[in-house]
Amino acid sequence: MTEDTALTPFRIDVPQADVDDLRDRLAHTRWPFPVPGRDDRTDFSRGIPQAYLQELAAYWRDGFDWRAQEAELNAYEQLTTVVDGQTFHVVHVRSADPQATPLVLNHGWPGSFVEYQRLVPLLTDAFHVVIPSPPGFGFSTPLSGTGWELARTTDACAEIMTRLGYERFAAHGTDAGAGTTGRLAALHPERVIGAHLGADPRWLGLVGDKFPYPAGLSDDEIARIEAVRAEDAADRGYLEVQNHRPDTIGPALTDSPVGLLAWIAEKFRSRAAGDHRTPDESVDRDQLLTTISLYWFTRSGASSAQFYYESEHSGLDILMPSGVPYGYAVFDAHPLLRRAMDPGKAADHWSEFTEGGHFPAMEVPELLAEDIRTFFRGVS
């Protein structure tokens, strides 16, 4: 059978019954018994503190306006298309300039197309912006089956750009979206103008894991990298669960909004400039809750975890651009990051910022937009 390649217009319209059900579940949350003496809302040493989580849940229930956020998201053109049997949701924002450069923005977990909401208007004078949701994320649900990992997703992303009429395009990504962006450039070098990757000190966790330590590091430098890796490892419990036991965590993320809130909100706790903040001090509270609401309404807490399982068990190597210009924008910069990740200074572009963190499009969209512009001005 020939696959239907149609691009179908899409508009977000969550049933009111689902909105009411969310508020009802939040109102009837069965909270754990608090541990005496642990009432500090800023103490994240054991995970997200209950005192802070209760504040955030109360606002989600009584202060957050989903319909207002839904209307803002619907201001952008959206569509769905089926690739290899999987429905993909795509945000497509055309520039007023018909000669603008097509730019695909890729994200990972716990991101969504909402992650780029504040970045888009800063780019559309120069770029046609395309934001595909990976399989199992947002409205790219439900999953059509097993086997949706990074390589298959990358091929689907390239096909989506073809269907939109973009033979040549630029690419940006963070988190797992950086993996998609790197693979696009490596496997489709004739199509990708350049690959721009957002990074933060968590990338040091890849050194010694996915990549060997570069030659010439002193014992002190290795110790400093290991310290960052150890801190990152303490925050990786969610990753190990999603990589290996998505069926176990999935029902909790689908049935309990507070469970989903705790699971995702903790990951938005920024370490920008070494300053430990609560999640909604790092990013806008309504944008954070719009992201989490999207996971809730689409049941993608469970299905996005399946994406991580598939990628972990795919046996894929990390692919970097080959013959395609690439660059990094590093946020909450660590002095050893380039020494460890790009010791030969092979990257065509490297910017470091003390501000921001793992979600730069939400934390510091102006900085990220300017860096994207700067990079692609130099390669296009």
Side-chain angles (χ1 to χ4, degrees):
M1 295 178 61
T2 301
E3 183 169 79
D4 181 4
T5 61
L7 302 173
T8 304
F10 180 86
R11 183 176 177 82
I12 305 170
D13 186 15
V14 172
Q16 185 59 41
D18 290 357
V19 177
D20 294 340
D21 175 67
L22 169 60
R23 288 177 176 153
D24 185 65
R25 287 170 183 259
L26 288 168
H28 293 90
T29 298
R30 190 168 181 253
W31 293 99
F33 293 120
V35 177
R38 295 208 70 251
D39 57 356
D40 183 354
R41 64 185 297 278
T42 64
D43 180 6
F44 281 72
S45 60
R46 303 188 189 191
I48 192 164
Q50 185 165 314
Y52 170 73
L53 186 61
Q54 287 176 316
E55 290 178 19
L56 201 56
Y59 179 77
W60 195 15
R61 183 188 70 233
D62 298 325
F64 175 71
D65 186 345
W66 166 255
R67 292 302 182 200
Q69 300 302 318
E70 186 180 70
E72 286 191 23
L73 296 176
N74 279 329
Y76 293 137
E77 178 187 350
Q78 300 165 73
L79 57 95
T80 60
T81 192
V82 178
V83 182
D84 196 11
Q86 172 66 42
T87 296
F88 282 83
H89 171 261
V90 183
V91 174
H92 185 204
V93 187
R94 306 169 199 263
S95 172
D97 178 4
Q99 302 303 313
T101 300
L103 170 66
V104 61
L105 302 177
N106 296 304
H107 68 80
W109 187 92
S112 69
F113 65 91
V114 175
E115 182 176 342
Y116 292 118
Q117 184 179 9
R118 298 186 175 193
L119 183 68
V120 169
L122 303 177
L123 295 174
T124 48
D125 63 326
F127 298 95
H128 301 299
V129 177
V130 178
I131 313 173
S133 294
F137 287 73
F139 295 104
S140 292
T141 53
L143 282 170
S144 63
T146 59
W148 278 104
E149 32 74 294
L150 207 57
R152 196 174 173 191
T153 300
T154 300
D155 291 341
C157 183
E159 173 61 19
I160 289 168
M161 296 304 283
T162 298
R163 293 182 187 183
L164 291 172
Y166 300 135
E167 184 58 31
R168 291 266 291 161
F169 55 89
H172 163 80
T174 58
D175 195 76
T180 305
T181 295
R183 292 189 74 86
L184 276 171
L187 299 177
H188 303 276
E190 75 287 353
R191 299 190 62 189
V192 178
I193 297 167
H196 184 271
L197 310 173
D200 64 47
R202 290 173 180 269
W203 283 54
L204 285 172
L206 296 174
V207 180
D209 181 9
K210 301 292 186 182
F211 300 112
Y213 284 117
L217 287 180
S218 69
D219 290 343
D220 178 65
E221 288 172 327
I222 291 175
R224 290 164 68 190
I225 293 174
E226 287 293 332
V228 175
R229 293 188 69 200
E231 183 178 358
D232 184 47
D235 191 42
R236 283 190 165 206
Y238 80 94
L239 185 62
E240 295 305 313
V241 171
Q242 296 191 160
N243 281 351
H244 301 287
R245 296 293 185 269
D247 285 350
T248 300
I249 191 62
L253 301 179
T254 305
D255 191 60
S256 169
V258 164
L260 181 70
L261 181 66
W263 191 249
I264 292 180
E266 183 199 14
K267 302 299 167 270
F268 283 87
R269 183 170 178 249
S270 174
R271 295 179 177 87
D275 183 20
H276 289 250
R277 304 174 181 179
T278 61
D280 60 341
E281 290 171 337
S282 299
V283 302
D284 178 77
R285 176 181 281 195
D286 282 340
Q287 191 179 20
L288 171 64
L289 290 174
T290 300
T291 297
I292 298 171
S293 297
L294 180 66
Y295 274 82
W296 174 258
F297 291 131
T298 61
R299 306 189 189 193
S300 51
S303 53
S304 61
Q306 298 290 343
F307 178 86
Y308 273 72
Y309 178 92
E310 298 288 350
S311 294
E312 173 69 12
H313 293 82
S314 66
L316 294 175
D317 292 326
I318 294 176
L319 293 183
M320 293 302 293
S322 176
V324 173
Y326 71 97
Y328 291 91
V330 181
F331 298 89
D332 190 16
H334 188 284
L336 286 175
L337 188 56
R338 186 164 197 183
R339 182 91 184 274
M341 296 295 298
D342 185 32
K345 296 189 176 180
D348 299 279
H349 172 89
W350 186 282
S351 297
E352 294 188 356
F353 304 95
T354 57
E355 304 95 328
H358 197 65
F359 304 95
M362 297 176 74
E363 297 173 78
V364 285
E366 293 83 4
L367 288 181
L368 178 57
E370 185 54 37
D371 202 75
I372 289 173
R373 289 170 171 278
T374 300
F375 172 67
F376 285 110
R377 273 198 300 264
V379 301
S380 57

